[in-house]
Amino acid sequence: MRIGFRLLLGFFMIVAVAAYFVMNIFVQEVKPGVRRATEGMMVDTANLLAQIAEQDIRNRNLSQGHIAQAFFDINRTPIGAQIDHIVKNRMEYRVYITDSKGKVIFDSSGEALGQDYSRWNDVYLTLRGKYGARSTRLDPEDESTSVMYVAAPIKSSDGKIIGSLTVSKPNQTMQPVIRRSERRMEIAGGILLGIALVIGAGFVWWINRSISRLVRYASEVADGNAPTLPKMDSPELSSLARALESMRIKLEGKDYIEKYVHTLTHELKSPLAAIRGAAEILQEMPPKPVALRFISNIQQQNERLQLLVDRMLQQAQVESRIRQELAPVDLAEVLHSVIAAKEAQITHRKIQLTSQIDAPVSVRGDKLLLEQAFSNLLDNALDFTPEGGEISISGEFIDKHYRIIVADSGPGMPEYALDKVFDRFYSLPRPDKEKSTGLGLSFVREVASIHQGTIRLVNGEQGGAKAIFILPVKEK
């Protein structure tokens, strides 16, 4: 099971369990809450009617008094009240009055008139000056038939209890309100779970996106690239990303040193072997012409060693990304400067160089590194262009990028070498000179990577080779 789905499931289960307990508590409180509120209103009603009943009892006109007349008139026409979409057409209260001994002397329903209610809690407690209330089922087997009874004392002018007035209401009449409240809570619970699911899905999407960034970063590192550290949206993930970056740098440093030492050792073997061989011959005191030839050979190999060391230091600097001072750089100016520096060599070899460079265009980069990279590309073209040949340099703006093409009229590149020429120490024989250090194009590739650009080498349609260097243009 994927970690994102596990997180979503765990989050949803926590919310669902919490929602269940909260909703269960609310639902369980709805019914007693409604009944408590109803009981409070019944207490007020009973005490109010008890005051009116005291006047009817004092006037000895209870059967024709104010309460009796009110109950007679109230149900003659529908009430027509609409309470929160619940229609109420008749009064649901039943009222009965007892004397001081608990005998029913008035019943709005007429069913208990003359009966002894002195043992019912509502009457028994009220006649003794206490709060009297009860809840009784009309059918002992059916909870829905329960009726709530609340009584109030009827007192004479001297404060003596002369009877009780009970207001009753079937609990069933409260069910529409209870069911409606429960239904609303269930709907709210469903909405809560839905919102929790959406929030959980968003959280999982955010986690998966962050993890995917780190996975892509690690994959690019594994492929040998130097990707930009992804920006994370939380301190914890940022710490993890920095830890990965630190691990990458340390691993790259170790791997780089191992490769550096190995390749440098390999490249130094050839000139050192030549120097050693020449020295051994010179120890035998050969004739002067032979000695001069081997002395010249030692000097050449020494120059080769010096060039190799210088190039390796340049390569190490650019690959380790140190001393980078990125600033706006005019590429057209850099290209003209490189061409001017090679003018003497171009003229000496009678090479025809043409350049077509667009108006000044700015990129953000290191001017010195770019000059060295373009100089290496032009040196590479000069190495493979025969005397009297042609070299063309063009620079043009294309879709937020600046493309530089250095094309020569040399023999072109063998197919097997096209994907190897940017490897460190890989070099092809030059027509008129020995192999180079094999670090020039590798240096160019590192400079392109630093500037988030690309470099590739292809064969021209009419012969020769083309180096295509593309850099993103600095947005204004």
Side-chain angles (χ1 to χ4, degrees):
M1 187 183 295
R2 297 185 64 180
I3 186 173
F5 183 74
R6 289 184 181 181
L7 289 172
L8 177 60
L9 183 61
F11 175 76
F12 185 76
M13 288 296 294
I14 292 172
V15 174
V17 171
Y20 170 77
F21 282 107
V22 172
M23 295 300 298
N24 192 43
I25 291 172
F26 272 104
V27 169
Q28 288 179 356
E29 285 295 317
V30 167
K31 187 178 292 185
V34 171
R35 289 183 178 176
R36 283 193 294 268
T38 303
E39 184 177 352
M41 290 186 292
M42 291 174 67
V43 169
D44 294 339
T45 303
N47 280 277
L48 178 62
L49 292 178
Q51 297 297 320
I52 301 173
E54 189 274 333
Q55 298 177 16
D56 288 345
I57 291 174
R58 186 180 349 118
N59 295 331
R60 300 179 183 278
N61 190 27
L62 191 59
S63 61
Q64 299 296 325
H66 294 90
I67 292 179
Q69 189 63 42
F71 274 95
F72 177 78
D73 292 338
I74 196 168
N75 286 324
R76 294 177 65 183
T77 57
I79 296 175
Q82 191 170 18
I83 305 171
D84 198 14
H85 303 292
I86 299 175
V87 179
K88 180 180 177 64
N89 282 321
R90 61 187 298 275
M91 191 180 74
E92 291 148 346
Y93 282 153
R94 173 195 170 196
V95 175
Y96 58 81
I97 302 173
T98 70
D99 59 17
S100 60
K101 296 181 179 180
K103 181 180 178 180
V104 179
I105 58 178
F106 173 81
D107 187 346
S108 63
S109 66
E111 61 186 55
L113 193 62
Q115 295 184 19
D116 183 6
Y117 271 26
S118 61
R119 294 185 178 182
W120 292 110
N121 273 346
D122 57 317
V123 177
Y124 178 83
L125 294 173
T126 302
L127 292 177
R128 284 160 179 76
K130 300 178 181 179
Y131 173 60
R134 66 184 170 95
S135 182
T136 305
R137 295 181 184 180
L138 299 178
D139 182 355
E141 304 298 327
D142 188 357
E143 183 183 0
S144 65
T145 63
S146 64
V147 180
M148 186 184 300
Y149 298 86
V150 175
I154 301 174
K155 298 179 179 180
S156 62
S157 58
D158 58 0
K160 182 181 179 181
I161 297 176
I162 60 175
S164 69
L165 182 145
T166 297
V167 176
S168 69
K169 185 174 184 178
N171 287 326
Q172 186 66 30
T173 60
M174 294 177 271
Q175 282 302 113
V177 176
I178 294 173
R179 283 197 300 267
R180 184 177 185 84
S181 298
E182 290 177 345
R183 188 165 56 251
R184 286 182 174 179
M185 288 185 180
E186 289 169 356
I187 293 172
I191 293 174
L192 173 64
L193 291 177
I195 293 173
L197 187 61
V198 172
I199 293 174
F203 172 74
V204 170
W205 172 82
W206 173 75
I207 286 289
N208 285 338
R209 186 188 65 166
S210 300
I211 293 176
S212 297
R213 288 180 179 177
L214 294 177
V215 170
R216 284 196 300 270
Y217 173 78
S219 298
E220 290 188 26
V221 171
D223 292 338
N225 300 323
T228 302
L229 183 66
K231 184 179 180 182
M232 296 290 104
D233 301 324
S234 73
E236 294 81 4
L237 291 174
S238 296
S239 297
L240 177 58
R242 287 193 295 270
L244 287 175
E245 174 74 356
S246 177
M247 181 178 67
R248 178 189 72 82
I249 292 173
K250 290 180 180 179
L251 290 176
E252 281 188 351
K254 181 180 178 182
D255 183 62
Y256 176 77
I257 291 173
E258 290 177 354
K259 290 182 178 178
Y260 189 94
V261 172
H262 176 75
T263 52
L264 180 60
T265 302
H266 176 76
E267 290 299 316
L268 290 177
K269 281 182 180 180
S270 179
L272 287 175
I275 291 173
R276 184 173 62 250
E280 289 174 353
I281 293 175
L282 289 174
Q283 285 179 342
E284 298 176 359
M285 304 299 292
K288 186 176 180 180
V290 175
L292 291 175
R293 181 161 57 87
F294 281 100
I295 290 173
S296 175
N297 188 23
I298 290 174
Q299 291 175 338
Q300 290 176 359
Q301 295 302 323
N302 180 65
E303 291 175 358
R304 182 182 175 187
L305 283 173
Q306 185 63 50
L307 178 61
L308 181 62
V309 170
D310 291 343
R311 286 295 179 89
M312 284 294 290
L313 289 174
Q314 279 187 344
Q315 188 77 11
Q317 175 185 331
V318 72
E319 288 182 358
S320 61
R321 309 291 201 266
I322 62 174
R323 294 196 305 169
Q324 294 178 31
E325 298 178 0
L326 301 183
V329 177
D330 185 350
L331 283 181
E333 179 183 337
V334 170
L335 288 172
H336 287 304
S337 174
V338 170
I339 293 172
K342 303 292 182 182
E343 187 173 357
Q345 185 179 355
I346 293 169
T347 303
H348 176 72
R349 296 187 55 193
K350 300 178 182 179
I351 292 175
Q352 182 180 355
L353 188 144
T354 59
S355 62
Q356 185 177 356
I357 300 170
D358 283 354
V361 61
S362 178
V363 298
R364 187 168 183 79
D366 186 310
K367 184 177 181 181
L368 178 60
L369 290 182
L370 289 172
E371 286 180 345
Q372 290 175 332
F374 295 142
S375 179
N376 285 354
L377 289 179
L378 187 51
D379 283 340
N380 196 67
L382 288 169
D383 286 348
F384 286 96
T385 301
E387 186 173 338
E390 298 178 358
I391 294 177
S392 65
I393 299 176
S394 63
E396 56 183 342
F397 180 81
I398 299 177
D399 189 24
K400 298 183 180 180
H401 289 77
Y402 197 73
R403 184 177 70 181
I404 301 100
I405 299 178
V406 180
D408 61 57
S409 58
M413 303 292 293
E415 290 295 328
Y416 66 83
L418 287 175
D419 59 347
K420 300 179 181 179
V421 290
F422 293 103
D423 294 345
R424 192 187 301 124
F425 297 111
Y426 186 85
S427 178
L428 292 171
R430 269 56 174 169
D432 300 324
K433 57 188 291 191
E434 61 183 32
K435 290 173 61 176
S436 70
T437 61
L439 293 172
L441 291 180
S442 177
F443 179 88
V444 174
R445 182 180 62 180
E446 292 298 329
V447 172
S449 177
I450 288 174
H451 292 81
Q452 298 179 348
T454 60
I455 176 67
R456 58 193 180 98
L457 198 64
V458 298
N459 285 319
E461 297 81 0
Q462 306 298 325
K466 288 183 180 180
I468 304 174
F469 196 118
I470 299 177
L471 291 172
V473 175
K474 172 179 173 292
E475 296 184 2
K476 296 183 180 180

